[in-house]
């Protein structure tokens, strides 16, 4: 007899009823909040062509693809050939690349600009840990077809509004939105003398700023063979950052390396977004913010909460990705919500879990109740449900106290015990 394994695959989770109540409540708030900003929901398949997933657009995520092998005769031919790719598709590692393919394929039927909301599972063969899974839900909003900074301002305002609504239920009012621009990151590297082809490698090291600091970055860059004087010049701009504006940080970057319009654009995004966020939400220019995806071309964002060592949202502008599919660049920018991480934080704060709305009725029927009496109860339950109440009907257990305690933990507040008259 085959041995069955009752636990889920590593890095993937079963969701208990209490978990699903919380998840569905948060998803409802996300959809309601984003719809107020004009975003409309779409859906893309969880599986993508392997050529799309391995196009060097996804950064380190391309190392974490769950590949799907060819089937039947196609797989047999690939094996017989002894070379080439055995996979022809894979599970998506994010929602941005599928959205770009979706837009290129359907753009004639979509408005411009197009404000998309996409919610669904993504998959990464990552090392599981708290707040990080191999299968998890992402929630993305994107604006395609708008090349002005109004797109970034809308994304920051909408995401801030949504997070404020969700976290206010557990008493969290403060979080920080970090903003930078990939062009500023490139400009700082070019100003120090690094070649264009080296910038991607340089930014991989800078992305570790929070973990290894400037000394660690200096050591890593030197070990990678970069000139020590060039490295020192590069890192000098990142000394004593404090709470500085974009203009203050960029004052020593030559105009040949960085268009001054980038600085003006950054200041406009930050000052405009600040007028639309709730009290307690900070928006800061963060010159060390990198974002690992290779497809970002302009402003980038990340959201953090004190006392948690992971970001809860991130995104940025990716004006070149759609063009990979249709041959014509389309301005695009998006914000991705770390749904699982938000759920992790909420569960930390909700000592007794999330309960369904109050004023819900549990009807407990004794085992000896007659059919006629049951029919009366079923009619009564129908009327209560039509009136908008949640009603569950259960047979009464011997240990009724334990049964009621369990129902109370699920949010039931009204109990009707039914016996024969």
């Amino acid at each position: 007899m085959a041995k069955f394994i009752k636990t889920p695959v590593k890095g993937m989770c079963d969701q208990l009823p209490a978990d699903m109540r919380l998840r569905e409540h948060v998803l409802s708030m996300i959809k309601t909040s984003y719809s107020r900003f004009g975003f409309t929901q779409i859906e893309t398949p969880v599986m993508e062509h392997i050529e799309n997933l391995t196009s060097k657009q996804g950064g380190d995520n391309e190392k974490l693809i769950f590949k799907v092998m060819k089937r039947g005769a196609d797989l047999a031919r690939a094996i017989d050939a002894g070379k080439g790719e055995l996979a022809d598709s894979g599970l998506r590692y994010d929602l941005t690349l599928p959205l770009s393919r979706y837009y290129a394929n359907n753009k004639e039927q979509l408005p411009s600009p197009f404000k998309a909301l996409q919610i669904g599972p993504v998959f990464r063969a990552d090392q599981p840990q708290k707040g990080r899974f191999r299968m998890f839900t992402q929630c993305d909003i994107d604006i395609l077809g708008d090349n002005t900074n109004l797109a970034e301002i809308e994304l920051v305002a909408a995401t801030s509004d949504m997070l404020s609504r969700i976290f206010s239920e557990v008493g969290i009012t403060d979080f920080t939105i970090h903003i930078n621009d990939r062009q500023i990151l490139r400009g700082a590297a070019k100003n120090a003398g690094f070649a264009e082809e080296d910038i991607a490698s340089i930014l991989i090291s800078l992305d570790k700023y929070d973990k290894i600091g400037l000394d660690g970055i200096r050591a890593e860059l030197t070990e990678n063979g970069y000139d020590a004087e060039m490295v020192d010049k590069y890192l000098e701009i990142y000394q004593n950052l404090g709470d500085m504006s974009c203009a203050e940080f960029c004052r020593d970057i030559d105009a040949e390396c960085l268009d001054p319009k980038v600085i003006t654009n950054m200041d406009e995004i930050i000052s405009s977004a600040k007028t639309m966020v709730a009290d307690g939400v900070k928006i800061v220019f963060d010159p060390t913010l990198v974002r690992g995806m290779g497809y970002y071309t302009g402003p980038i964002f990340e959201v953090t909460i004190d006392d948690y060592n992971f970001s809860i949202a991130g995104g940025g502008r990716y004006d070149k990705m759609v063009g990979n599919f249709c041959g014509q660049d389309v301005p695009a920018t998006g914000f991705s919500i770390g749904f699982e991480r938000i759920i992790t934080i909420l569960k930390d704060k909700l000592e007794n879990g999330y309960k369904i709305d109050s004023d819900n009725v549990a009807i407990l029927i004794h085992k000896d109740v007659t059919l006629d009496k049951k029919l009366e109860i079923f009619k009564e339950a129908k009327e209560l449900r039509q009136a908008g109440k949640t009603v569950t009907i259960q047979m009464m257990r011997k240990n009724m106290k334990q049964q009621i305690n369990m129902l109370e933990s699920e949010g039931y507040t009204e109990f009707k015990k039914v016996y024969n008259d």
Side-chain angles (χ1 to χ4, degrees):
M1 181 177 178
K3 182 180 179 181
F4 289 91
I5 302 171
K6 67 179 182 180
T7 55
V9 172
K10 186 177 181 181
M12 302 184 183
C13 301
D14 292 329
Q15 303 294 345
L16 297 174
D19 298 322
M20 287 306 299
R21 284 196 295 273
L22 176 60
R23 295 170 75 86
E24 288 300 314
H25 172 65
V26 173
L27 285 172
S28 176
M29 293 187 71
I30 290 172
K31 293 174 185 178
T32 300
S33 183
Y34 280 153
S35 68
R36 291 194 181 106
F37 283 79
F39 291 90
T40 55
Q41 194 166 356
I42 66 165
E43 185 171 288
T44 59
V46 298
M47 201 176 296
E48 276 290 335
H49 302 290
I50 197 67
E51 296 87 349
N52 295 346
L53 294 173
T54 56
S55 58
K56 302 190 185 302
Q57 298 292 309
D60 286 344
N61 288 330
E62 295 194 10
K63 302 174 184 176
L64 306 175
I65 298 171
F66 281 103
K67 295 183 178 181
V68 178
M69 296 178 69
K70 298 174 181 177
R71 278 86 42 211
D74 288 340
L75 178 59
R77 281 192 292 269
I79 293 174
D80 290 343
K83 59 181 180 180
E85 180 63 73
L86 297 181
D88 62 358
S89 54
L91 298 177
R92 61 190 181 192
Y93 51 71
D94 75 355
L95 298 178
T96 304
L97 188 140
L99 171 65
S100 299
R101 180 199 53 72
Y102 169 97
Y103 184 82
N105 190 44
N106 298 286
K107 63 182 187 303
E108 289 80 10
Q109 305 170 57
L110 298 172
S112 183
F114 177 51
K115 301 175 76 170
L117 164 61
Q118 192 177 184
I119 301 174
V122 299
F123 305 83
R124 296 177 190 173
D126 210 341
Q127 185 60 41
Q129 53 187 287
K130 184 175 182 179
R132 186 184 294 271
F133 306 96
R134 289 178 172 175
M135 171 184 169
F136 55 97
T137 298
Q138 272 193 347
C139 304
D140 284 16
I141 51 170
D142 295 81
I143 300 177
L144 297 97
D146 187 348
N147 62 2
T148 73
N149 62 19
L150 181 59
E152 280 85 358
I153 294 166
E154 277 277 275
L155 289 175
V156 171
T159 300
S160 172
D161 177 80
M162 182 273 297
L163 291 174
S164 291
R165 290 174 185 272
I166 290 173
F167 287 132
S168 66
E169 293 193 347
V170 292
I172 296 176
T173 57
D174 298 354
F175 55 86
T176 303
I177 302 174
H178 306 255
I179 303 182
N180 197 8
D181 194 302
R182 294 285 287 198
Q183 295 182 74
I184 293 173
L185 291 165
R186 288 180 63 254
K190 289 174 67 176
N191 193 70
F194 289 111
E196 182 70 36
E197 58 268 22
D198 293 329
I199 292 177
S201 173
I202 300 297
L203 295 184
I204 289 173
S205 296
L206 180 64
D207 200 20
K208 302 173 185 175
Y209 177 84
D210 289 341
K211 295 179 180 144
I212 63 176
L214 290 181
D215 289 341
I217 295 171
R218 179 178 287 103
E220 186 170 295
L221 291 176
T222 305
E223 289 171 7
N224 289 341
Y226 294 109
D227 179 77
E229 290 186 9
M230 198 180 296
V231 170
D232 286 341
K233 181 179 180 181
Y234 173 60
L235 295 181
E236 184 178 354
I237 197 172
Y238 291 97
Q239 299 280 356
N240 305 316
L241 291 176
D243 185 15
M244 64 171 56
S245 68
C246 177
E248 290 171 330
F249 175 81
C250 296
R251 63 177 177 267
D252 294 326
I253 300 178
D254 293 339
E256 294 179 357
C257 300
L258 178 64
D259 187 338
K261 291 180 181 178
V262 174
I263 303 171
T264 302
N265 187 59
M266 181 61 53
D267 288 338
E268 285 186 6
I269 292 171
I270 292 175
S271 60
S272 299
K274 282 182 176 179
T275 66
M276 291 191 282
V277 301
D279 294 340
V281 178
K282 292 190 295 184
I283 302 179
V284 299
F285 170 68
D286 183 352
T288 66
L289 177 63
V290 174
R291 301 289 299 163
M293 298 300 198
Y295 49 65
Y296 290 127
T297 59
I300 50 179
F301 335 99
E302 204 159 88
V303 181
T304 60
I305 289 183
D306 291 344
D307 301 325
Y308 289 90
N309 63 353
F310 49 70
S311 63
I312 58 171
R317 181 166 284 275
Y318 53 99
D319 287 346
K320 301 294 183 181
M321 185 180 287
V322 177
N324 292 329
F325 293 97
C326 63
Q328 180 179 359
D329 287 342
V330 174
T333 187
F335 224 134
S336 178
I337 311 306
F339 180 77
E340 306 296 347
R341 294 179 175 184
I342 291 173
I343 294 296
T344 296
I345 294 171
L346 294 178
K347 289 172 79 171
D348 282 349
K349 302 296 183 181
L350 291 167
E351 295 181 2
N352 299 316
Y354 175 74
K355 299 179 181 179
I356 56 179
D357 293 338
S358 60
D359 197 25
N360 299 299
V361 183
I363 301 176
L364 307 181
I365 302 177
H366 190 271
K367 64 181 179 64
D368 294 330
V369 165
T370 64
L371 177 58
D372 287 344
K373 186 68 173 179
K374 288 179 182 177
L375 294 178
E376 289 179 18
I377 294 302
F378 296 155
K379 182 179 179 181
E380 180 183 349
K382 178 182 177 181
E383 292 171 351
L384 289 170
R385 288 166 180 152
Q386 288 175 336
K389 289 193 175 185
T390 298
V391 180
T392 185
I393 303 175
Q394 298 182 8
M395 296 305 296
M396 194 181 295
R397 298 178 190 169
K398 289 183 179 180
N399 190 341
M400 188 166 53
K401 182 178 180 181
Q402 183 184 61
Q403 184 179 15
I404 290 176
N405 287 340
M406 179 64 71
L407 288 165
E408 285 178 337
S409 72
E410 295 175 9
Y412 289 92
T413 57
E414 184 178 341
F415 298 90
K416 181 179 178 69
K417 303 166 190 175
V418 181
Y419 302 90
N420 283 323
D421 294 334

